[in-house]
Amino acid sequence: MKKTKLYIVTGICVILAAITLVTTKNTNITGASGTKQTEIHQDKRISKQTFVNDETGNRAVTSVNNKVKDASASQPVLSAVSTQKSYNAYVCEDDSQLLYIQDQTTDKTQTITVEPHLATGIMSLEWLEDKMIVAFSHVSPFMGCMSVYDASTQELLLEKYCSSYAFGDTLDSLAYVEATSGDSGNHKLLNSEDKLLYQTEKKERITNIAVNHTNGDIAIVVGKYLKDGETQKFHVVILAKRGEKYIKVKTQRVKLNSVNSVQWKDDEQIIITNDAGKEVIRK
């Protein structure tokens, strides 16, 4: 009887030991397998990310201050190609104050830190004369800062705080609305040398500007709030360039109830557009 009990106890111990061994082995295998799968998954994710960014050409970017920045870590949110396709400029989502300039001939990329006082990030990009990049940075609901850089040297050429601006073909053709702290009107339209070109009346604000690339004439859209404080009526003012001066040659009411843009069609006509359609006004 004692011998039978001994066999039973021994058998139970053997079975428990076997179960413990199998459990331990399975735990180790699962842990090792899980670790390896995580590493493989990470490797695949990195490879895929690199491949996707390689498609956009954003690789191994070196900045002008000799710091290396990998632009493949973030996707561009703004981009613009120069007029002769000599350069490509872009801003990535991880730093909206860092402007990348890629030379299309050498494929080298440099960076410019665009950080005017109180500005929080670049909102738009455009090119001027193929060699100058214009970056407009947000400052407040009523103004931003327009910065112009030489793409080849990264030199700051011009900087103006304004609510809106427009260029013709040259840097000197700039027309911009002087920044104000509010929206009470009396907007001033200035040139690149800060000389007054035009000023609106009280409660009138300049909403859009277009500079003619051929003769330098300027078309501006002026909006005025009615008594309800919400509805605006618009009119166009055309300033003709006469030597170094500008003369107001036309004022005409706009029939559209809102304005998205204004542009010159030729030397004699401008086109005003909104979401519903367009209106043509002759000089």
Side-chain angles (χ1 to χ4, degrees):
M1 186 68 178
K2 288 182 178 180
K3 192 177 287 188
T4 303
K5 288 182 178 180
L6 180 62
Y7 288 152
I8 292 172
V9 173
T10 303
I12 291 172
C13 291
V14 170
I15 291 170
L16 290 174
I19 291 172
T20 303
L21 180 61
V22 171
T23 305
T24 306
K25 285 185 177 179
N26 285 341
T27 302
N28 290 338
I29 290 171
T30 303
S33 177
T35 302
K36 193 161 187 178
Q37 285 177 359
T38 303
E39 291 173 353
I40 292 170
H41 175 71
Q42 288 176 342
D43 289 342
K44 285 182 177 179
R45 178 177 57 80
I46 293 169
S47 297
K48 184 177 181 181
Q49 188 181 56
T50 304
F51 173 76
V52 170
N53 285 290
D54 283 351
E55 289 288 313
T56 64
N58 302 326
R59 292 170 289 180
V61 178
T62 305
S63 65
V64 292
N65 57 5
N66 295 322
K67 291 183 181 179
V68 177
K69 183 172 181 67
D70 186 5
S72 65
S74 179
Q75 290 290 339
V77 291
L78 291 173
S79 64
V81 178
S82 62
T83 54
Q84 300 297 321
K85 298 183 178 180
S86 301
Y87 297 92
N88 179 36
Y90 57 94
V91 177
C92 291
E93 60 187 351
D94 64 338
D95 191 343
S96 61
Q97 291 186 311
L98 195 62
L99 175 61
Y100 293 86
I101 307 290
Q102 183 181 33
D103 190 315
Q104 301 289 67
T105 303
T106 64
D107 202 34
K108 290 183 179 180
T109 305
Q110 296 179 317
T111 62
I112 301 172
T113 301
V114 183
E115 48 183 2
H117 182 58
L118 298 178
T120 58
I122 300 171
M123 296 175 62
S124 64
L125 296 172
E126 66 173 294
W127 284 92
L128 184 64
E129 293 184 347
D130 192 58
K131 302 292 184 182
M132 290 180 280
I133 181 67
V134 184
F136 188 72
S137 302
H138 176 269
V139 175
S140 79
F142 301 104
M143 73 170 124
C145 185
M146 181 269 300
S147 307
V148 184
Y149 294 90
D150 185 312
S152 60
T153 64
Q154 295 79 52
E155 178 188 359
L156 178 63
L157 303 176
L158 186 69
E159 193 167 82
K160 302 290 184 184
Y161 284 85
C162 55
S163 58
S164 58
Y165 70 94
F167 286 96
D169 281 338
T170 65
L171 192 64
D172 295 337
S173 66
L174 170 68
Y176 73 96
V177 180
E178 183 182 50
T180 58
S181 57
D183 202 17
S184 59
N186 291 125
H187 279 191
K188 294 180 181 180
L189 184 71
L190 309 177
N191 66 8
S192 60
E193 298 178 347
D194 303 325
K195 293 181 178 178
L196 181 66
L197 303 178
Y198 183 80
Q199 183 171 359
T200 66
E201 297 179 3
K202 188 177 181 180
K203 296 185 179 180
E204 289 185 344
R205 50 192 291 270
I206 299 173
T207 61
N208 306 83
I209 314 170
V211 179
N212 190 303
H213 287 234
T214 304
N215 55 29
D217 290 354
I218 300 173
I220 59 175
V221 177
V222 179
K224 184 176 183 178
Y225 284 102
L226 302 185
K227 291 182 178 179
D228 60 13
E230 296 181 2
T231 308
Q232 284 193 88
K233 291 294 184 181
F234 299 93
H235 64 271
V236 169
V237 176
I238 298 179
L239 306 174
K241 188 175 183 180
R242 299 288 186 266
E244 297 299 317
K245 296 182 179 181
Y246 282 88
I247 301 173
K248 182 171 72 172
V249 295
K250 187 166 190 174
T251 301
Q252 182 173 322
R253 180 180 173 183
V254 176
K255 297 177 182 178
L256 300 176
N257 58 11
S258 65
V259 176
N260 291 347
S261 67
V262 59
Q263 61 183 2
W264 286 90
K265 182 179 180 180
D266 51 40
D267 290 348
E268 299 297 326
Q269 299 179 91
I270 62 171
I271 300 176
I272 299 172
T273 63
N274 67 8
D275 294 335
K278 65 180 180 180
E279 181 177 346
V280 178
I281 295 179
R282 296 190 64 83
K283 182 176 171 182

